[in-house]
């Protein structure tokens, strides 16, 4: 499997592109905008788009999803259904913040904890990790030891919880009970900023380091 990160929109959101080397099928995670840059990354990796996955419903993560679904005839899968209210209000949020306009849409499939999803011959486990948003999910590729965590966790920080239906304690619980058990060696791609590992964050992250709770 090959993977690359494409920072998109003024928010520099990390859209991840994965390609199954055996089949050439590609998956994109959180296409928030700048479609031409995402398409260039898929082409550079030699892939053909098969599916779109969403970690959550914030505009910088999903505003280009429906446009790409229609263009390529693929499905949008995720997030969990509690984020429907965010996607329903996409036009309002875009207008309020000066973000490029996006229409509301409905994913082809909502996800639940411990679902699994596939592209090509690759399989990813789904972890339901609410707190930043109520329907946030994380995608975990076990053999690659790689997680796509959206805005749950960042290098040195965690997701904001001051948005509607966000909750700090719920987010910390998600990180400790859904992410840490996957292993300290897991590299994660956050929604913004550089990659890190769960082990590094358990040692150094001021919000969720183990010593804060010991």
């Amino acid at each position: 499997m090959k993977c690359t990160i494409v920072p998109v929109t003024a928010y520099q959101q990390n859209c991840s592109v994965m390609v199954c080397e055996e089949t050439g099928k590609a998956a994109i995670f959180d296409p928030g905008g700048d479609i031409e840059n995402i398409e260039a990354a898929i082409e550079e990796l030699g892939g053909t788009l098969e599916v779109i996955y969403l970690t959550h419903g914030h505009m910088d993560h999903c505003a280009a999803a429906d446009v790409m679904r229609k263009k390529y005839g693929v499905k949008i899968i995720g997030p969990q259904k509690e984020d429907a209210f965010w996607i329903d209000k996409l036009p309002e949020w875009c207008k309020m913040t000066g973000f490029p306009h996006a229409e509301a849409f409905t994913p082809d499939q909502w996800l639940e904890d411990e679902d699994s999803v596939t592209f090509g011959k690759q399989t990813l486990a789904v972890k339901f990790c609410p707190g930043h948003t109520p329907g946030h999910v994380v995608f975990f590729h076990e053999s690659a030891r790689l997680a796509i965590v959206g805005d749950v966790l960042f290098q040195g920080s965690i997701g904001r919880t001051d948005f509607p239906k966000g909750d700090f304690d719920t987010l910390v619980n998600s990180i400790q009970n859904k992410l840490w058990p996957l292993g300290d060696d897991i590299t994660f791609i956050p929604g913004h900023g550089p990659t890190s590992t769960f082990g590094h964050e358990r040692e150094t992250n001021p919000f969720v380091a183990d010593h804060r709770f010991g």
Side-chain angles (χ1 to χ4, degrees):
M1 186 192 70
K2 295 182 286 188
C3 180
T4 192
I5 300 169
V6 185
V8 297
T9 84
Y11 292 77
Q12 290 294 283
Q13 193 278 124
N14 289 332
C15 173
S16 295
V17 179
M18 290 186 181
V19 173
C20 172
E21 292 182 86
E22 191 172 343
T23 64
K25 299 295 185 180
I28 55 174
F29 299 78
D30 291 359
D34 297 335
I35 291 173
E36 64 283 354
N37 295 347
I38 299 171
E39 291 173 330
I42 296 171
E43 185 176 350
E44 187 173 336
L45 291 179
T48 301
L49 184 60
E50 181 181 25
V51 65
I52 297 166
Y53 294 119
L54 301 179
T55 63
H56 65 295
H58 283 166
M59 60 191 180
D60 54 322
H61 290 256
C62 72
D66 195 37
V67 175
M68 296 192 76
R69 168 168 65 177
K70 291 171 180 173
K71 181 174 181 178
Y72 290 93
V74 299
K75 290 184 177 182
I76 297 173
I77 297 178
Q80 198 267 357
K81 60 183 177 293
E82 289 296 322
D83 262 23
F85 83 102
W86 278 109
I87 299 174
D88 290 343
K89 291 183 177 295
L90 269 177
E92 296 173 40
W93 282 105
C94 290
K95 184 177 181 180
M96 242 175 14
T97 59
F99 198 83
H101 177 75
E103 292 290 340
F105 62 89
T106 301
D108 295 280
Q109 179 187 341
W110 300 109
L111 292 171
E112 297 294 341
D113 194 42
E114 301 305 331
D115 280 350
S116 63
V117 297
T118 62
F119 69 97
K121 294 190 175 181
Q122 308 299 315
T123 299
L124 299 100
V126 176
K127 305 295 179 180
F128 179 45
C129 294
H132 176 65
T133 67
H136 202 301
V137 297
V138 163
F139 298 94
F140 173 53
H141 194 296
E142 184 170 11
S143 61
R145 312 305 286 163
L146 178 68
I148 309 290
V149 304
D151 287 353
V152 171
L153 180 69
F154 303 107
Q155 184 187 83
S157 189
I158 61 174
R160 289 176 58 177
T161 56
D162 56 338
F163 291 122
K165 300 188 181 182
D167 185 80
F168 178 83
D169 291 338
T170 300
L171 180 59
V172 170
N173 182 69
S174 291
I175 293 167
Q176 291 180 322
N177 294 314
K178 295 295 179 65
L179 300 188
W180 290 170
L182 299 176
D184 288 350
D185 64 319
I186 303 302
T187 296
F188 69 90
I189 300 174
H192 307 266
T195 62
S196 183
T197 66
F198 290 162
H200 181 74
E201 299 310 306
R202 290 184 72 168
E203 289 181 5
T204 64
N205 192 302
F207 296 93
V208 287
D210 289 350
H211 66 76
R212 286 198 69 232
F213 305 95

